[in-house]
Amino acid sequence: MAAAAGVSGCAQVPATGSSQGFLRQKIGKAQVVAVSDGVGRRPLAEGFVRNAPLAQVQAALAAQGLPTDSIDVPYTCFVLEVDGKRYLLDTGFADNGPAGTGQLHTNLRAAGIDPATIDAVLLSHLHGDHINGLRRKDGSLVYPNALVYLPSPEHAYWFDAARRDAAPEAARGGFLAVQRVFQNYPADQLRLYEPGLTVVGGIESIAAFGHSPGHTALALGSGKDRFTYLADAAHFPALFVRHPDWQVQFDMDPAQARATRHALLARMAREGGLVGGFHFPMPSLGRIRKEGEGYRWVPQA
């Protein structure tokens, strides 16, 4: 399929919106809107970074003026407004998440977006914090009229009942989340896409495997006039953009995730376009710069 074209001008147009709840940025004739679903606090313990000692992780956070006993983990979705259509990238939690989350619709409305006007949801992968926002606790669909696009390798992995049944108890939660969300989901609203091809509306997909079997980045535009959604490829930027060799505990294939992270961050630094991530703190839009042996994420002013 053809790549997206004709998107330009993002570097010249100021971003607008609340630094707390949303940030809207024009990229040519399109708009990208970072929208927070909230923030969850988790204690920082040994093993969050699986291949670095806790003291080293704490030192990295302290050097950036961040707390060293806990991490405030952001959950940030993105809306791409293209040719009169609205595409939501990942969903957050709806009413299924921890304290401090479930704020996506409040912040969508603050950004001038009625959640009912979402035309399609594009999923980067099928971990619970990315899909739970498709279905409320009571089972009702959050976007009953929207198409939902899933990466085909993710679908093959998480929908495999034999793999689910053979998984150790500690690994079954992911399968159960997928089952809860997608069981009896209207089949005519689900679409599979192949990582590496254009999905819909000129939005390209980029194979970014490792964090999960079919984890996929999504992008719109070209060169410096391009937005790339990294999803969880670099997780919390103060740690995993700065130190791309570090592996977050949630990476399912740590070695592949590391290789993917290095390749994506190098590409982002080279291209110079806008970058966002699911666990990037608001304003959640910025650019990647090479710095020492790692990289730095520079938030959009």
Side-chain angles (χ1 to χ4, degrees), residues 10-260:
C10 68
Q12 289 75 40
V13 181
T16 60
S18 166
S19 63
Q20 297 302 307
F22 75 93
L23 185 73
R24 179 180 288 275
Q25 175 72 52
K26 184 174 174 60
I27 49 173
K29 295 181 180 179
Q31 296 262 347
V32 55
V33 193
V35 191
S36 174
D37 190 48
V39 178
R41 177 165 292 179
R42 61 177 297 127
L44 179 60
E46 198 80 53
F48 180 74
V49 180
R50 66 172 77 203
N51 61 336
L54 179 59
Q56 191 175 349
V57 175
Q58 290 174 319
L61 293 170
Q64 298 171 72
L66 296 171
T68 59
D69 59 347
S70 65
I71 292 184
D72 288 338
V73 180
Y75 301 96
T76 310
C77 304
F78 294 82
V79 174
L80 296 179
E81 298 180 332
V82 186
D83 296 330
K85 300 288 187 179
R86 284 174 167 155
Y87 304 102
L88 175 65
L89 311 186
D90 288 336
T91 70
F93 289 100
D95 59 354
N96 304 283
T101 65
Q103 301 175 27
L104 180 64
H105 283 196
T106 296
N107 290 323
L108 279 172
R109 293 187 180 96
I113 299 171
D114 181 347
T117 65
I118 296 295
D119 293 285
V121 178
L122 280 62
L123 300 174
S124 63
H125 64 299
L126 303 189
H127 283 170
D129 50 344
H130 297 256
I131 65 171
N132 274 328
L134 285 172
R135 195 186 286 269
R136 301 179 185 90
K137 276 184 180 178
D138 65 7
S140 61
L141 301 184
V142 176
Y143 306 101
N145 301 314
L147 297 176
V148 179
Y149 290 82
L150 301 78
S152 59
E154 283 286 290
H155 182 274
Y157 183 90
W158 294 106
F159 283 72
D160 186 330
R163 181 181 282 114
R164 179 195 66 210
D165 294 342
E169 191 67 30
R172 288 188 183 174
F175 291 97
L176 294 176
V178 169
Q179 183 176 343
R180 183 196 77 83
V181 170
F182 290 105
Q183 189 172 36
N184 301 321
Y185 209 95
D188 61 349
Q189 291 177 234
L190 299 179
R191 301 284 189 275
L192 300 184
Y193 69 86
E194 294 297 324
L197 300 180
T198 298
V199 183
V200 65
I203 301 168
E204 304 166 50
S205 64
I206 303 167
F209 305 159
H211 178 71
S212 69
H215 182 275
T216 304
L218 297 160
L220 181 69
S222 61
K224 291 185 177 180
D225 298 328
R226 179 176 176 87
F227 166 69
T228 303
Y229 173 53
L230 297 181
D232 283 5
H235 206 270
F236 191 63
L239 296 177
F240 304 101
V241 172
R242 288 291 184 100
H243 302 274
D245 285 328
W246 287 2
Q247 298 163 345
V248 70
Q249 69 181 86
F250 311 112
D251 285 343
M252 295 176 67
D253 184 336
Q256 187 175 30
R258 174 188 175 277
T260 291

